[in-house]
Amino acid sequence: MHKPPALNPFAPAAPASRPGWLRYASPARFYPLAGRLIPWLALAAALFGAAGLYVGLVVAPVDSQQGEVYRILFIHVAAAWMSMFLYLVMALYAALGLVLQTRLSFMMMRALAPTGALFTFVTLWTGALWGKPTWGAWWVWDARLTSELILLFLYLGFMALQAASDDPRRGDRGGAILLLAGVVNVPIIYFSVRWWNTLHQGASINLTTAPSMAHVMLGAMLLMVAAFWLYSAAVGLARVRDIIAEREPAAVQAAMQAEEKAR
């Protein structure tokens, strides 16, 4: 009778399947999950955005000093927060990609860049609209404005580097290094009004003191932040699906077929 081969106690054990959400670190597995999340995130973004605009433009009272023009800040501040937040998220993905060599990290890094650049542009544009009646000038070389403009150049430089590279892997590494080198600009943007005597007004919200604005104004601003965050997630997932489909079409097709069979 045929005997089964003896087990080698020194042989490496077979790798265990990734438990829970860790299996979605694979781009092919993440692809269908992202597709299911996008409609819900987009719907939530629309609802929060509509609520934020209604509270900010209709419910919130007129500011005693700035008048009606202050309502621009409900979009301006939320966009500014997202411009910095998305860059930090991209830098985190860049570090994970370089250290752990995770393909999905590099893809997410690429997918978030256009949205971050968009919010940075909106920040500068709405800031100019608010600055003209408030300061009397569309633009001044203020520390915060200048560092926010540098952030826009970092986003554009990252996207240009990705577009110019023929090798996606080389472009990923180069873009990740650029992101990590430029991350020092984010705390400069945030703390510039404390470190230098700038024309830009100080923060209305921080973690150590109570907010200096009325609760209804704070509510409108937080609603817009939530809307922009949900929008960024929906658009980022839609864009990363395109990147995954472009880089790993066979794996995506196999994953989709496996999911259909599981149903």
Side-chain angles (χ1 to χ4, degrees):
M1 184 175 62
H2 178 70
K3 294 183 179 181
L7 296 177
N8 183 2
F10 300 101
S17 59
R18 292 181 176 180
W21 60 270
L22 287 177
R23 65 178 186 224
Y24 293 110
S26 167
R29 288 185 177 271
F30 186 76
Y31 183 89
L33 174 64
R36 293 192 296 268
L37 292 176
I38 289 171
W40 296 103
L41 292 170
L43 177 61
L47 293 176
F48 274 92
L53 290 175
Y54 176 76
V55 175
L57 300 180
V58 179
V59 179
V62 179
D63 187 76
S64 59
Q65 296 180 347
Q66 301 181 36
E68 296 285 358
V69 72
Y70 92 98
R71 299 184 192 277
I72 299 175
L73 296 182
F74 294 124
I75 296 177
H76 173 75
V77 174
W81 288 357
M82 288 307 302
S83 69
M84 294 183 286
F85 174 73
L86 288 178
Y87 192 92
L88 291 177
V89 173
M90 289 172 58
L92 175 61
Y93 278 127
L96 290 175
L98 290 175
V99 174
L100 303 179
Q101 296 298 312
T102 49
R103 305 188 310 279
L104 185 59
S105 297
F106 287 132
M107 295 178 187
M108 288 298 302
M109 174 187 73
R110 285 188 173 217
L112 293 174
T115 308
L118 172 64
F119 279 123
T120 308
F121 175 78
V122 170
T123 301
L124 295 170
W125 177 57
T126 54
L129 292 178
W130 174 66
K132 179 60 176 178
T134 305
W135 299 339
W138 296 103
W139 177 268
V140 293
W141 291 102
D142 180 88
R144 174 161 285 184
L145 272 67
T146 304
S147 53
E148 185 73 15
L149 180 62
I150 293 174
L151 182 64
L152 178 61
F153 290 154
L154 287 171
Y155 275 119
L156 296 178
F158 171 83
M159 291 188 292
L161 180 61
Q162 303 299 298
S165 178
D166 296 331
D167 183 1
R169 294 183 179 180
R170 183 181 303 173
D172 287 341
R173 290 193 297 269
I177 294 172
L178 175 62
L179 287 175
L180 294 175
V183 78
V184 68
N185 187 56
V186 175
I188 293 176
I189 296 173
Y190 185 80
F191 292 107
S192 58
V193 294
R194 299 184 186 180
W195 293 343
W196 296 285
N197 183 21
T198 66
L199 188 60
H200 197 285
Q201 73 177 44
S204 301
I205 303 174
N206 56 62
L207 300 178
T208 58
T209 60
S212 60
M213 61 175 60
H215 289 172
V216 64
M217 298 178 182
L218 175 62
M221 190 171 295
L222 294 180
L223 284 171
M224 293 306 301
V225 171
F228 286 172
W229 186 91
L230 291 165
Y231 168 82
S232 301
V235 174
L237 290 179
R239 195 173 289 118
V240 81
R241 276 169 57 90
D242 293 338
I243 297 174
I244 293 172
E246 178 184 355
R247 292 192 179 187
E248 303 182 10
V252 168
Q253 185 176 4
M256 296 298 292
Q257 291 175 353
E259 185 171 280
E260 291 179 0
K261 291 180 180 180
R263 292 177 184 176

